[in-house]
Amino acid sequence: MGPLPDWMVIGRSELPLPLQQRRGAWSLARKGLGEIIGKAAILLGPGVNDSHGWLTRLDARAKVLGILGLLLTTTWVRGILTLLFSLCAAWALALIGGVNVRRMALALLAVPLFTLALAAPAALNLVTEGTPLWILCHLGGGTWGPWHLPEYLAITDRGVFVAMRFTLRSLACVSFGALLAASGSPQDLLRGLRGLGVPAAFVMVAGMMARYLSLLLESAEQIHLAKLSRSIGGVGVRLEQGWAAAGIGELYRRSRRLAEEVTEAMVSRGYTGETRTMAAQRWCGRDILFVSACAALVTFLLGID
Amino acid sequence: MDDSIFRLEKVSFSYPGHGLSLRDVSFSARRGERLAILGANGTGKSTLLHLMDGLYFAHGGSITAFGELLSPERLERPPFGPRFRREVGFLFQNSDAQLFCPSVEEELAFGPLQMDWTKQEVLRRISDTLDLLGIQSLRDRQPHNLSAGEKKKVALASLLVLSPSVLLLDEPTAGLDPRSQGNLLELLDELHGRGMTLVTATHDLELLPHLADRVLVFGEDHRIAADGPTAAVLDDAELLLRVNLIHAHRHWHGGVAHSHPHQHIVTHGHDHIAGEHEH
């Protein structure tokens, strides 16, 4: 080990500190990122399921069969009213089933916004023809490269219908998905899938994914905090983007290493690919009743569509 | 009669894209023994434990465990596979990798469930193991929210619940405060007293006398540099200097510089006064 350099003197620095910290968009985005990671870690972390209603006590196979059946039906139906009914059915099931509705809503908060953002272009006459409901601007016709421009840019009635259908279908499907996730632990639900005949390899991969998600979030948070703790002043967007990209690469590398270690730990304790839990798999009256009720709802949705 | 649990013959191993991590390693671990694997960082201690636990497989040489050759094919098939996994427990250095279930109870249940034990038996063992380690209050907690010492206890509990006959421990005291270290060492002592074989990878010379009766010293060339009783190894300062486990420093006496191997191993003496026991 060599001698300490001259500049390494505690309490005295010969170089000036940055005069001000730039609080640009990137700094705010970084702060927001930290909050998102923190919230996601809470919502998606293991053991987050604190629902205690009757839905959580059903056999995993019944839950998977019933709720997935409703989800698949939602992807099939086309009517706006049917989709609206499907969305309401998901939340009604959550309410009466004793699932933590508030946490479900929190987890799905961003879904409507993103879905609307994706669906919005479909409402325009550029994408979906129809009777204009609201003219946004005049384009004057003519051509632009190989494309013919319309006289005006407008929101059409068919466009609104298509956008609404897409949004409602997405919301309903995601709601059923969230309901299924909130109705039991990941291991319980995966065991239900296995019990219904889903191949062991698929269930194993899904199980690993569920386990790694919380570890991944923890790693992401650590990388983010490590960067934050060493940030003094703003360095410009380009450099920040470079750091962000490096952080993503480091996260991938750490995740891969952690994934290998977790797999080794599981194999070391006898894991051979089968998901096992202490919950006994046994159909009883209420499971059959639940599946029957879901089947009736599926029939109703298809009937009114 | 051969009472070896593990026998390694000229074992070599390398990670893809890297040089050899272990080179011509040969030794045997006897039943009921306390064996330490000592070496500086990067000498292959953890790798050796992974090999002994059948998580990695040697590129050269052979490893036998309980009289059977350790190979991927043998570990996949009963009865040897499940028997090996039950008999050998591996405590990872990184507790965060070792704990992967949503609750401590499920963590302890994981191993027994792989063994197809009944639910009653699993629950009984969980309760008894939690009592043994004094962590009943952690039963419903999420492992990733625990302190380092608690995580280490839960990780150890998840192995002990299977009642293994061998424990492979990778730096078991790393990151623990002195009290947690003491508790862990006492527990390991007790387990050894009941006949458990302990193989510990460490570079902590101070704790070595508490962890092992016999030491394998690994050099930076990834070979075994010495194999002998703990006291003899600790007394051999030249050996420890050669394998980079201690440092040499220079100091001055008057106008003359001295340089010699130097190790910080604190020993103390104390008197036992009859009727008073305070440590």
Side-chain angles (χ1 to χ4, degrees), chain A residues 25 116 129 190 226 264 267 285:
Chain A
L116 275 171
E129 289 177 353
L190 287 170
E264 286 166 10
V267 168

PDB file of all heavy atoms in Angstrom, chain A residues 25 116 129 190 226 264 267 285:
ATOM      1  N   ALA A  25     -35.132  18.344 -15.602  1.00  0.00           N
ATOM      2  CA  ALA A  25     -36.107  17.272 -15.746  1.00  0.00           C
ATOM      3  C   ALA A  25     -35.508  15.931 -15.361  1.00  0.00           C
ATOM      4  O   ALA A  25     -36.186  15.079 -14.786  1.00  0.00           O
ATOM      5  CB  ALA A  25     -36.613  17.238 -17.185  1.00  0.00           C
ATOM      6  N   LEU A 116     -55.160   4.592 -22.258  1.00  0.00           N
ATOM      7  CA  LEU A 116     -55.742   5.698 -23.027  1.00  0.00           C
ATOM      8  C   LEU A 116     -54.713   6.285 -23.982  1.00  0.00           C
ATOM      9  O   LEU A 116     -55.034   6.633 -25.120  1.00  0.00           O
ATOM     10  CB  LEU A 116     -56.237   6.788 -22.071  1.00  0.00           C
ATOM     11  CG  LEU A 116     -57.648   6.567 -21.518  1.00  0.00           C
ATOM     12  CD1 LEU A 116     -57.964   7.564 -20.426  1.00  0.00           C
ATOM     13  CD2 LEU A 116     -58.694   6.670 -22.635  1.00  0.00           C
ATOM     14  N   GLU A 129     -61.817   5.485 -39.840  1.00  0.00           N
ATOM     15  CA  GLU A 129     -62.755   6.363 -40.555  1.00  0.00           C
ATOM     16  C   GLU A 129     -64.105   6.371 -39.851  1.00  0.00           C
ATOM     17  O   GLU A 129     -64.458   5.444 -39.135  1.00  0.00           O
ATOM     18  CB  GLU A 129     -62.933   5.854 -41.987  1.00  0.00           C
ATOM     19  CG  GLU A 129     -61.680   6.075 -42.833  1.00  0.00           C
ATOM     20  CD  GLU A 129     -61.838   5.512 -44.225  1.00  0.00           C
ATOM     21  OE1 GLU A 129     -62.853   4.851 -44.494  1.00  0.00           O
ATOM     22  OE2 GLU A 129     -60.930   5.715 -45.047  1.00  0.00           O
ATOM     23  N   LEU A 190     -49.498 -20.902  -8.649  1.00  0.00           N
ATOM     24  CA  LEU A 190     -48.726 -21.736  -9.576  1.00  0.00           C
ATOM     25  C   LEU A 190     -49.035 -23.208  -9.353  1.00  0.00           C
ATOM     26  O   LEU A 190     -49.099 -23.993 -10.303  1.00  0.00           O
ATOM     27  CB  LEU A 190     -47.228 -21.467  -9.395  1.00  0.00           C
ATOM     28  CG  LEU A 190     -46.764 -20.121  -9.950  1.00  0.00           C
ATOM     29  CD1 LEU A 190     -45.334 -19.830  -9.524  1.00  0.00           C
ATOM     30  CD2 LEU A 190     -46.859 -20.091 -11.464  1.00  0.00           C
ATOM     31  N   ALA A 226     -27.296   4.119  -4.556  1.00  0.00           N
ATOM     32  CA  ALA A 226     -25.843   4.271  -4.616  1.00  0.00           C
ATOM     33  C   ALA A 226     -25.476   5.448  -5.513  1.00  0.00           C
ATOM     34  O   ALA A 226     -24.596   6.259  -5.183  1.00  0.00           O
ATOM     35  CB  ALA A 226     -25.203   2.983  -5.142  1.00  0.00           C
ATOM     36  N   GLU A 264     -29.341 -22.189  -7.219  1.00  0.00           N
ATOM     37  CA  GLU A 264     -28.445 -23.101  -6.500  1.00  0.00           C
ATOM     38  C   GLU A 264     -28.964 -23.380  -5.098  1.00  0.00           C
ATOM     39  O   GLU A 264     -28.938 -24.519  -4.623  1.00  0.00           O
ATOM     40  CB  GLU A 264     -27.037 -22.493  -6.418  1.00  0.00           C
ATOM     41  CG  GLU A 264     -26.275 -22.544  -7.731  1.00  0.00           C
ATOM     42  CD  GLU A 264     -25.050 -21.644  -7.705  1.00  0.00           C
ATOM     43  OE1 GLU A 264     -24.693 -21.128  -6.623  1.00  0.00           O
ATOM     44  OE2 GLU A 264     -24.449 -21.431  -8.779  1.00  0.00           O
ATOM     45  N   VAL A 267     -31.900 -25.806  -5.418  1.00  0.00           N
ATOM     46  CA  VAL A 267     -31.445 -27.157  -5.761  1.00  0.00           C
ATOM     47  C   VAL A 267     -30.764 -27.802  -4.557  1.00  0.00           C
ATOM     48  O   VAL A 267     -30.956 -28.993  -4.281  1.00  0.00           O
ATOM     49  CB  VAL A 267     -30.480 -27.109  -6.965  1.00  0.00           C
ATOM     50  CG1 VAL A 267     -29.761 -28.440  -7.154  1.00  0.00           C
ATOM     51  CG2 VAL A 267     -31.235 -26.747  -8.230  1.00  0.00           C
ATOM     52  N   GLY A 285     -67.176 -28.137  -1.795  1.00  0.00           N
ATOM     53  CA  GLY A 285     -68.411 -27.557  -2.313  1.00  0.00           C
ATOM     54  C   GLY A 285     -68.270 -26.125  -2.784  1.00  0.00           C
ATOM     55  O   GLY A 285     -68.717 -25.757  -3.872  1.00  0.00           O
TER      56      GLY A 285
END
